[in-house]
Structure formats: structure tokens, C-alpha cells
Amino acid sequence: MRVIIVDTATEVAQTGGDIFLQQLARKPNSVFGLATGSSPLALYQHLISAHLDQGVSFAGVTTFNLDEYLGLASEHPQSYRFFMQSKLFNHIDIPNSSTHVPDGASKKPTETCRLYEDKIASSGGIDIQLLGIGRNGHIGFNEPSSSLTSRTRVKTLTQATVNDNARFFGEDETQPSLSLTMGIGTIMDSAQIVLIATGESKADAIQATVEGAISASCPASILQMHRNAIVLVDRAAASKLANQEFYTFVEDQRRKLDAQ
Ligand code: F6R
């Protein structure tokens, strides 16, 4: 697991965005796994700028989002499909047919989840997966106690996650407590994983992810078992890591070797 600590949230977005742009340059028909929430917003802006200012094309890219609220149709303003359209897809040249978000309006959610797995497999698998992290260590909507080998399925959100996400919903809007989410096993099948986190509120979760025991109590801790995972954090999110200096030293060494 690489741990990259940068000074600010802006640098997290730039560094994370550049990792995706490098993947795209290597393989124009890459399969991206994407996330919603506050964490990726600035990173998506970085990708949009690369498209608008430098002519970077996403026309060959296929995307799979991690999760969706069960019960919200794609046109619902709080749905993750709506989020992805307004925060990324509508501003780059990716064909709509190449973007996938689990169908929150599905009347057969179990079947929808199975087909989502099939679709990921038939696209050749995810080359690079972006993750945020919940304060309780969740990835996607895999809450603590989720099986570390789970596949895409229906999951119940914890009250803590419902509370954390209440800020996106109006007072008169019903907030779903069920979701469709890629499983932890699905996420772990990605060739590369980039988890981003900013701010002090994520510091405990990042500490448990990087330095804690691998446990379903902190689903993100399974990334310790991945061959190509990066945890990219700002100083505030890194503040509870015991070995911050070592991680920074390792990255310095890496840069020196790359420059040779
Ligand atoms: C969203 C997702 C969630 C979020 C996590 C952090 O697609 O999968 O796991 O990444 O809840 O959310 P923010 O970034 O809003 O703090």
C-alpha cells in the first residue's frame, strides 16, 4: 500500500486526477471505477479542466460507479446517477452509454446487482478504482461488518452514514437507507485502487485503514491486501498516522528513483 501525504485538499485532487490522466494516456479505453460524495468533486473538476483546456479525450473510457441509493431514480437530484451527470459526465466527451451506475429504480435489485457484476466482467474489469472513505471506514456502501469478499448487492446503511449524508437532502425529502453497492471483493478485483480523503474528520478512519488490523470493522483496511493501492490524503486526514515520516520518505525515494 502506498501512502501519499500532500499538504492540501487541492493537491489531493490534482495528484489523484493526474493518476487517472496517466492511466488514460497509457490506455485510452480504460475502465474507470468512480465514486460520489464530497471527496471526488475537486478531482472531477481537474479531469474536466484537462478535457476543456488540454483537449484530453474520455471518448474511449468506460465507467462503473460504486453505488446508488435504492429507491432513487436517475433523475432524482440526490441520486448518484444525477450527481455523476452534473459533476462529471456532462462536462467531458464520454458517451452516456459507456457510463454505468447501479439502477436505483430497479424493481429486481438482486438481479440488477448480478447483471452489474457481469457488465464489469464483460468490459474487461476495472483498471483503476477511485474510492472515498466514510468516517466509519466504509468504502462504497460497504459498512462495517460487510464481508470482505462481498460482491455487488443490496446493503443497509448505518445510521451514522445516513446522518453524514443528510446534508445532501432537503428537510422534506425522504432519505433512503438502502443502497446497491459494489462489494468489497468487487472493489478488490480492480487492477489499481486510489482512495482519497481530506480533513480531520477522516483521520481516525485513515489510521485504521493504513495501520490498523485488517478487519470487517473497518472495511477499507482490506486495501492492505491489494497489490496496487494508493491512499492519498492531505495533512489533516493523515494526522493520526503513526508513521507519517516514513511514508513521506518512501515517496521521496520513489521520486528519486523515477528521476534516474
Ligand atoms: C460514494 C461512496 C462513499 C463515499 C464516502 C465518503 O460513492 O462510495 O463510500 O466515498 O461516504 O463520502 P464523502 O466524500 O462525502 O465524505
Side-chain angles (χ1 to χ4, degrees):
M1 181 188 261
R2 279 177 70 189
V3 181
I4 304 180
I5 304 172
V6 293
D7 286 332
T8 63
T10 305
E11 285 173 76
V12 168
Q14 286 166 349
T15 308
D18 285 344
I19 294 170
F20 276 76
L21 293 172
Q22 283 153 16
Q23 168 66 34
L24 181 60
R26 276 195 304 274
K27 186 180 172 195
N29 62 344
S30 287
V31 180
F32 286 179
L34 298 177
T36 57
S38 320
S39 305
L41 283 174
L43 188 154
Y44 291 157
Q45 203 51 55
H46 188 72
L47 299 184
I48 293 167
S49 300
H51 173 64
L52 297 179
D53 304 338
Q54 291 135 43
V56 171
S57 175
F58 294 83
V61 170
T62 299
T63 66
F64 288 92
N65 264 76
L66 283 166
D67 43 17
E68 178 60 282
Y69 287 112
L70 183 56
L72 297 193
S74 55
E75 59 278 5
H76 192 289
Q78 306 314 331
S79 75
Y80 284 173
R81 164 55 81 175
F82 192 95
F83 175 103
M84 289 309 299
Q85 293 300 139
S86 62
K87 305 299 181 195
L88 182 63
F89 299 150
N90 291 347
H91 310 285
I92 57 177
D93 61 343
I94 190 166
N96 221 32
S97 57
S98 304
T99 68
H100 304 91
V101 181
D103 178 12
S106 170
K107 296 289 173 244
K108 292 184 176 167
T110 305
E111 169 91 344
T112 299
C113 292
R114 197 178 53 73
L115 293 175
Y116 202 67
E117 286 278 337
D118 290 350
K119 201 85 190 240
I120 294 172
S122 63
S123 76
I126 293 171
D127 291 302
I128 182 165
Q129 175 68 55
L130 180 64
L131 297 177
I133 184 169
R135 288 190 302 133
N136 60 8
H138 73 220
I139 47 176
F141 272 140
N142 297 285
E143 299 283 29
S145 83
S146 291
S147 159
L148 297 177
T149 60
S150 49
R151 311 303 304 186
T152 305
R153 69 217 183 288
V154 176
K155 280 297 286 179
T156 307
L157 308 185
T158 60
Q159 194 53 48
T161 298
V162 171
N163 294 346
D164 278 351
N165 290 353
R167 67 190 192 280
F168 298 114
F169 289 81
E171 269 176 26
D172 47 352
E173 280 179 317
T174 314
Q175 191 182 349
S177 57
L178 290 177
S179 66
L180 308 173
T181 181
M182 273 189 209
I184 298 176
T186 320
I187 292 169
M188 288 292 282
D189 284 348
S190 307
Q192 185 174 15
I193 297 178
V194 181
L195 182 147
I196 57 172
T198 60
E200 215 191 322
S201 66
K202 300 289 173 74
D204 284 321
I206 290 299
Q207 198 281 331
T209 297
V210 176
E211 296 176 342
I214 297 172
S215 161
S217 299
C218 176
S221 63
I222 192 65
L223 298 188
Q224 294 174 30
M225 295 290 288
H226 197 277
R227 287 166 192 268
N228 197 4
I230 296 176
V231 172
L232 170 60
V233 287
D234 67 358
R235 293 237 162 258
S239 60
K240 293 195 175 161
L241 290 172
N243 296 318
Q244 285 176 58
E245 278 178 27
F246 176 67
Y247 308 136
T248 304
F249 176 66
V250 170
E251 287 304 314
D252 285 348
Q253 297 293 101
R254 200 184 173 98
R255 262 190 298 278
K256 281 183 195 147
L257 283 173
D258 286 349
Q260 276 174 12

